[in-house]
Amino acid sequence: MAGENQTVSEYIVHHLTNLTWGKLPEGYERYDGSVVGEGGAWVMAHGGQEASDMGFTAIHVDSMVWSVGLGVIFSWLFLRLARQANAGVPSGLSNFLEMIVEFVGNTVRDTFHGRNPLIAPLSLTIFVWIFLMNLMDLVPVDLVPWTLMQLGVEYHKIVPSTDPNITFGLSIGVLILILFYSIKVKGFGFAKELALNPFNHWLFIPVNLFMEIVGLLAKPFSLALRLFGNMYAGEMIFILIAALFSAGVAWMLPAGLLQIGWAIFHILVITLQAFIFMVLTIVYLSMAHEDH
Amino acid sequence: MNINLTLIGQVIAFFGFVWFCMKFVWPPIVNAMAEREKKIADGLAAADRASHDLELAQEKALERLKDAKHEAAGIVESANKRANQIIEEAKAAAQVEAERVKTSARAEIEQETNRAREALRSQVATLSLAGAEKVLGATIDRDAHAELVNKLAAEL
């Protein structure tokens, strides 16, 4: 919960600030008046201003740790399933995980018509990984940050998918795959597709190039921003509802009910967002494999 | 809300996890599932086949049973026939044997009778001669009167 001397807006801003570790430029005056020495310094940012002043040479430790940690959990879960997978009768957790595998496999089979051994595991990774990252949204907003604050970690965001770096990281990965397979499957045809669509005349090549490249870039942008927007908005509502608790004892019950209601609704949102990201990835890669 | 190195880190992590999943996770799971699917399909097919076989076997067994009954009835009938035949044959043989015994008995009786008659006859001759001798009180010429006595004996 927010400290007594903290305003609601400070509480919200605090919750939306990542734990950032980065390089401050030489001569930078820090929050406590000290000045960064020669060659700059790699430090843990104190507050949003310092974090943004670090520019590109910074890393969101919390996003990275949770993202990779959840990825490891995903890999471990399914590796365990893969290890014990046999043609016998499945039980318990393997049943559930196999259900997911089958669901993803069916979706891929329905949407992707080429033959590429990467698509199905890629989809499974995206679906489960993003789902796990979104699932962190359902952890009470103050639980982890407050606990870590007691341990001396000032800022913490536990939902990696509310960090645009993470969602753009995923969608850039997808973009790289789209480009790779477009060039691999179509070769020179890919360049022709970019240059001669939609107006098939050499005079229109610059226009075509512009339109096609915008279209191509719109794919990762829409992927990343959709996921980020949904998760960020959801997280924001959780934080706002949590802020209601500080408005007085009378607000406890309605705020609690709102929290439960939004959390239940959010179960749908997080699953849906993971599913949409997966399906669109499959669709984009399927388009990359299609020769016109 | 800053774009920074986290982006690069996430791209690297993305490819890492995707590669891991493609290399170590997906193939064994999918293979195991496909294998299980095949096993189940095989099992169902085998069950179908077995029930079909069972039906055929039942039909065959029924047919066999019918055949066996038929055959048994035939055997019983022919056995009855044969028993009757044996009885008839035995009857006939017994009759023949009885006839034979009767005939031989009759022949023996006749023979005995004849023998007794012969013996009697010879004794009659002797007795009558002895009687006549006594009656006449004289010696009778055995040779002279033998013919006469024998004639008498033959008349007996």
Side-chain angles (χ1 to χ4, degrees):
Chain A
M1 200 62 233
E4 282 98 280
N5 53 356
Q6 205 178 19
T7 66
V8 171
S9 82
E10 272 171 359
Y11 172 74
I12 292 172
V13 167
H14 180 265
H15 267 283
L16 294 178
T17 307
N18 282 105
L19 179 67
T20 314
W21 186 69
K23 189 184 180 193
L24 282 172
E26 194 181 326
Y28 184 85
E29 193 183 330
R30 297 204 66 191
Y31 67 102
D32 55 359
S34 63
V35 175
V36 174
E38 199 181 327
W42 284 89
V43 291
M44 209 59 100
H46 186 271
Q49 187 56 46
E50 275 195 15
S52 69
D53 288 338
M54 283 169 176
F56 194 74
T57 53
I59 193 154
H60 290 160
V61 178
D62 47 1
S63 295
M64 227 44 251
V65 166
W66 283 102
S67 161
V68 172
L70 292 168
V72 167
I73 288 175
F74 153 72
S75 300
W76 173 75
L77 264 181
F78 280 86
L79 183 66
R80 225 182 50 151
L81 174 65
R83 283 267 165 77
Q84 67 187 33
N86 57 44
V89 181
S91 63
L93 186 63
S94 9
N95 238 334
F96 176 66
L97 295 182
E98 282 190 7
M99 206 180 77
I100 297 175
V101 169
E102 192 155 17
F103 166 70
V104 172
N106 284 338
T107 311
V108 171
R109 216 169 300 130
D110 289 344
T111 318
F112 187 83
H113 299 299
R115 281 190 57 84
N116 188 336
L118 173 79
I119 304 300
L122 170 77
S123 308
L124 179 71
T125 309
I126 286 180
F127 181 63
V128 181
W129 196 16
I130 293 182
F131 176 78
L132 288 175
M133 291 201 280
N134 293 350
L135 191 63
M136 291 295 110
D137 221 357
L138 295 181
V139 176
V141 284
D142 278 311
L143 187 66
V144 178
W146 186 84
T147 311
L148 284 172
M149 205 188 246
Q150 303 308 303
L151 299 171
V153 180
E154 268 182 276
Y155 296 97
H156 210 85
K157 268 175 82 176
I158 62 162
V159 193
S161 47
T162 58
D163 182 345
N165 288 297
I166 297 299
T167 61
F168 272 104
L170 289 170
S171 68
I172 286 172
V174 173
L175 175 68
I176 291 171
L177 287 175
I178 291 174
L179 292 175
F180 175 75
Y181 282 113
S182 291
I183 293 166
K184 189 183 166 196
V185 173
K186 300 172 194 165
F188 185 67
F190 180 53
K192 227 160 75 181
E193 197 181 294
L194 285 181
L196 296 176
N197 264 328
F199 308 110
N200 195 356
H201 192 277
W202 62 269
L203 264 179
F204 284 102
I205 283 177
V207 181
N208 289 338
L209 268 180
F210 174 73
M211 286 172 74
E212 284 293 310
I213 286 173
V214 166
L216 189 65
L217 291 182
K219 289 171 183 171
F221 260 91
S222 66
L223 273 182
L225 288 179
R226 179 182 305 107
L227 179 60
F228 165 69
N230 274 284
M231 295 319 349
Y232 189 77
E235 176 78 346
M236 183 68 102
I237 289 173
F238 274 121
I239 294 170
L240 287 174
I241 295 171
L244 268 185
F245 284 109
S246 63
V249 180
W251 279 101
M252 289 285 180
L253 188 65
L257 287 177
L258 276 174
Q259 197 79 287
I260 291 171
W262 183 241
I264 290 170
F265 178 65
H266 219 57
I267 294 172
L268 182 68
V269 174
I270 60 174
T271 319
L272 197 62
Q273 286 307 318
F275 179 67
I276 289 172
F277 202 109
M278 174 187 83
V279 169
L280 287 180
T281 303
I282 302 169
V283 168
Y284 292 156
L285 283 171
S286 170
M287 283 160 68
H289 281 74
E290 272 164 20
D291 225 335
H292 292 294
Chain B
M1 204 74 61
N2 317 299
I3 295 291
N4 53 30
L5 280 175
T6 316
L7 187 70
I8 312 288
Q10 179 68 8
V11 174
I12 294 166
F14 173 76
F15 281 110
F17 286 126
V18 169
W19 172 80
F20 184 85
C21 184
M22 188 175 89
K23 189 92 184 156
F24 300 109
V25 173
W26 187 264
I29 295 177
V30 167
N31 287 345
M33 283 167 76
E35 201 179 318
R36 186 186 307 138
E37 215 164 279
K38 191 174 164 296
K39 214 163 126 182
I40 291 171
D42 285 356
L44 286 177
D48 270 356
R49 221 166 31 239
S51 75
H52 185 66
D53 283 358
L54 181 65
E55 215 169 282
L56 279 185
Q58 264 167 350
E59 239 166 64
K60 206 176 270 180
L62 222 60
E63 208 170 297
R64 281 268 170 82
L65 205 62
K66 215 193 278 175
D67 278 0
K69 261 185 193 158
H70 208 248
E71 214 169 307
I75 288 171
V76 167
E77 199 181 326
S78 74
N80 275 342
K81 218 185 265 173
R82 176 97 187 98
N84 281 343
Q85 199 181 351
I86 287 171
I87 290 171
E88 288 302 322
E89 271 174 16
K91 248 185 208 162
Q95 233 153 20
V96 169
E97 178 69 11
E99 208 60 49
R100 197 182 59 76
V101 168
K102 222 156 75 186
T103 315
S104 82
R106 203 170 275 154
E108 210 166 313
I109 290 168
E110 205 163 316
Q111 215 170 7
E112 284 297 317
T113 315
N114 281 349
R115 196 177 296 143
R117 200 179 278 161
E118 285 302 320
L120 208 60
R121 205 177 270 161
S122 66
Q123 274 171 7
V124 163
T126 319
L127 274 177
S128 45
L129 273 187
E133 234 176 81
K134 286 249 165 77
V135 170
L136 294 176
T139 322
I140 305 169
D141 186 2
R142 216 179 267 252
D143 299 326
H145 298 107
E147 200 183 338
L148 188 73
V149 175
N150 281 349
K151 220 190 216 159
L152 186 75
E155 271 168 22
L156 281 174

